Amino acid sequence: MAKAKTAKASYRCAECGWQTSKWVGRCGECQTWGTVTEAASATPARVVPAGPVSAPARPIGQVDVRSAQSKPTGLDELDRVLGGGIVPGAVLLLAGEPGIGKSTLLLEVAALASTQSQGSTQSQGSADETKHVLYVTGEESAEQVRLRADRVGAITDGLYLAAESELSAILGHIDAVEPELLVVDSIQTIGTSEVDGAPGGVTQVREVAANLIRVAKERGITVVLVGHVTKEGAIAGPRLLEHLVDVVLYFEGDRHSRLRMIRAVKNRYGPTDELGCFDLSEVGIVGLPDPSGLFLTRRDEAVPGTCVTVTLEGRRPLVAEVQSLVAKSHLPAPRRATSGLETSRVAMVLAVLAQRCKISMHEQDVYVSTVGGVRLTETSVDLALALAVAGASVEQALSTSLIALGEVGLAGEVRVVPGVQRRLAEAARLGFKHAVVPRGSLELADGSPLKRADPQLTSYEGMKVMEVDSLKQALQVSFTAP
């Protein structure tokens, strides 16, 4: 007789839903540890009958979009990232490291939103219809938030504060206050007794987020959820949360610096290539409409091992400085320390310098960092990095009026990067006079050259532009520039 087949157990990742026939400690899809658990036995699919609809289907041209228009928050830098402001019924997820300033930012946004809503309704003579803003804190007490509000000047009559960690209580506050903006700080501290698990777990976070999203869509309330991040910098909790919300924002910056940056990695209502810059101080947070120059060291004399470049954060050009220090090593394996730059990219540039330009540093320690705590991940920083390391190795300084742009290839070539004209215009505005760029950068998409001020001097935007083909040529023209 044939043996009866036994059903194999199925295991599923709680983060991304990846399935396997046996238990493993690490998910094979999202590479998360400890999230693979045994899945419940599969149930046969049920036939769902047709039911009543909430609203009849209409031609798309007849859908009224006035209720989905964005409203400014009062912070221009945040509005830039959001694409104009917050949208009624939208759900935003703001993530960042602890102590980075998320609560301070949202407290000021809540105060500004309550002031704007009151002013707009009172100007129409309908003070009774004034809408409010509800700030729910699950990590701090109401007294702690009040002290912060006093410090940053976020005391308004339309801003309501509640210290709750139970979802049902939050829904009760929503019914009582009827806010137009709801801030939940943070989603990992809110739980519900309807499902098992502790607050912050996968099941709890998913259930709480689903209920808040449902309330936001039904009542047209803008909901802002604060999320924690893991050690790797990703948003803690289920990845499904990022797919459910409309906007995902990251709040970044060095906690020892006053500069903060906010960027959108997902935005259903606007672009995802914008960057907002803020100055965080003891009196609050202020937008920085012109952050260029914050990542530079102002000095009168040139110093070996420094080079200035222009990076594009979305569509915004930022002038930044790369610094390098090369010292003799007393270790069998010399150190390679980086700060603000990708370690693998730095190692590649060092290898190209050694192989193509004969600048070997196999017996020397190399330290590379950026100024101001900015993180540079663009490939256009390669040329500035190579010039800074080469200058530190031979103890020769570059001109303080020179910038370098370009991607360095393994063959030693310098490749064109996008947005060179925009970068040069920003550098010229800050007073730089010389630029080293890849050959072909000053050409239009059809291959025709741009209209230059003086073709013989190869100038653009008042700068003397030196086009190079290889890293070796870039080293020659850069260190001979006045």
Side-chain angles (χ1 to χ4, degrees):
M1 295 179 60
K3 294 183 180 180
K5 295 183 179 180
T6 58
K8 293 184 179 180
S10 178
Y11 295 85
R12 180 179 301 170
C13 175
E15 293 283 342
C16 63
W18 177 73
Q19 294 184 358
T20 180
S21 59
K22 60 181 181 179
W23 182 87
V24 291
R26 188 176 188 178
C27 174
E29 180 67 23
C30 64
Q31 304 299 317
T32 306
W33 288 95
T35 58
V36 178
T37 57
E38 187 173 357
S41 58
T43 57
R46 299 179 181 179
V47 178
V48 179
V53 297
S54 58
R58 293 172 292 170
I60 190 171
Q62 299 180 8
V63 177
D64 188 8
V65 298
R66 289 177 295 180
S67 61
Q69 296 294 330
S70 60
K71 300 179 181 179
T73 62
L75 290 176
D76 295 337
E77 289 297 300
L78 181 59
D79 293 339
R80 176 200 295 268
V81 179
L82 294 177
I86 56 178
V87 178
V91 181
L92 292 75
L93 177 62
L94 177 65
E97 295 181 355
I100 203 70
K102 302 185 297 296
S103 301
T104 303
L105 173 67
L106 293 181
L107 189 60
E108 187 158 348
V109 169
L112 291 173
S114 63
T115 304
Q116 290 178 356
S117 62
Q118 288 178 6
S120 61
T121 53
Q122 290 175 359
S123 63
Q124 299 174 2
S126 56
D128 294 337
E129 299 178 0
T130 300
K131 295 183 180 180
H132 306 293
V133 176
L134 178 59
Y135 189 102
V136 178
T137 173
E139 298 181 343
E140 302 174 285
S141 64
E143 291 77 14
Q144 289 176 313
V145 179
R146 167 61 193 270
L147 291 175
R148 183 186 299 115
D150 287 333
R151 188 176 68 251
V152 302
I155 303 297
T156 61
D157 295 335
L159 176 56
Y160 286 72
L161 178 62
E164 299 286 354
S165 58
E166 175 62 33
L167 176 61
S168 59
I170 296 176
L171 298 179
H173 284 297
I174 295 175
D175 293 336
V177 178
E178 296 183 356
E180 71 171 0
L181 173 63
L182 171 65
V183 179
V184 180
D185 186 10
S186 66
I187 187 65
Q188 278 88 2
T189 61
I190 309 300
T192 174
S193 58
E194 300 297 327
V195 296
D196 297 332
V202 174
T203 306
Q204 287 282 348
V205 170
R206 183 185 291 115
E207 185 70 17
V208 171
N211 280 274
L212 293 177
I213 292 172
R214 174 184 55 81
V215 172
K217 302 303 181 183
E218 290 178 353
R219 307 190 184 188
I221 302 174
T222 304
V223 177
V224 181
L225 306 176
V226 178
H228 296 165
V229 296
T230 61
K231 294 181 180 179
E232 293 78 17
I235 299 177
R239 300 182 68 182
L240 178 65
L241 186 61
E242 299 183 42
H243 298 282
L244 292 177
V245 299
D246 302 308
V247 182
V248 179
L249 304 176
Y250 273 88
F251 202 38
E252 305 171 351
D254 186 358
R255 68 174 58 188
H256 302 293
S257 173
R258 294 174 54 176
L259 179 67
R260 299 291 186 269
M261 294 177 290
I262 187 170
R263 68 181 78 239
V265 297
K266 174 186 177 182
N267 192 354
R268 291 174 177 169
Y269 307 106
T272 57
D273 56 355
E274 285 288 1
L275 179 76
C277 297
F278 300 88
D279 180 19
L280 180 65
S281 63
E282 59 275 0
V283 296
I285 189 165
V286 182
L288 296 175
D290 188 13
S292 291
L294 295 176
F295 313 116
L296 296 176
T297 301
R298 300 297 181 180
R299 59 173 66 93
D300 297 330
E301 298 181 358
V303 178
T306 64
C307 186
V308 180
T309 185
V310 185
T311 181
L312 280 181
E313 290 289 350
R315 288 178 288 183
R316 171 178 288 189
L318 296 177
V319 180
E321 181 178 331
V322 179
Q323 295 184 341
S324 177
L325 176 64
V326 178
K328 184 174 179 58
S329 177
H330 300 283
L331 301 174
R335 295 192 61 184
R336 300 290 186 262
T338 62
S339 175
L341 296 163
E342 293 183 353
T343 305
S344 59
R345 202 76 193 172
V346 174
M348 188 207 73
V349 172
L350 294 179
V352 175
L353 283 173
Q355 186 69 22
R356 306 299 180 186
C357 304
K358 308 306 177 185
I359 303 178
S360 180
M361 284 159 284
H362 64 279
E363 296 181 350
Q364 295 170 308
D365 295 330
V366 180
Y367 304 87
V368 182
S369 68
T370 58
V371 175
V374 63
R375 180 166 180 80
L376 304 178
T377 58
E378 222 186 353
T379 57
S380 63
V381 188
D382 290 351
L383 184 57
L385 171 62
L387 294 179
V389 174
S393 177
V394 299
E395 285 295 325
Q396 187 173 354
L398 294 169
S399 172
T400 56
S401 63
L402 180 139
I403 66 166
L405 308 169
E407 177 185 355
V408 176
L410 294 179
E413 78 278 12
V414 181
R415 302 171 183 167
V416 179
V417 295
V420 173
Q421 294 81 27
R422 193 183 311 165
R423 303 171 197 255
L424 292 179
E426 181 67 15
R429 187 180 70 85
L430 294 179
F432 290 90
K433 302 299 182 183
H434 302 83
V436 180
V437 300
R439 188 170 304 279
S441 298
L442 299 183
E443 294 181 357
L444 298 174
D446 57 359
S448 59
L450 286 171
K451 184 178 180 181
R452 308 177 187 179
D454 191 343
Q456 294 181 352
L457 293 179
T458 318
S459 62
Y460 179 76
E461 294 287 345
M463 301 178 63
K464 182 179 179 181
V465 180
M466 297 168 283
E467 296 180 294
V468 297
D469 296 307
S470 63
L471 179 57
K472 183 180 295 185
Q473 184 182 1
L475 293 173
Q476 294 174 353
V477 301
S478 299
F479 288 103
T480 57

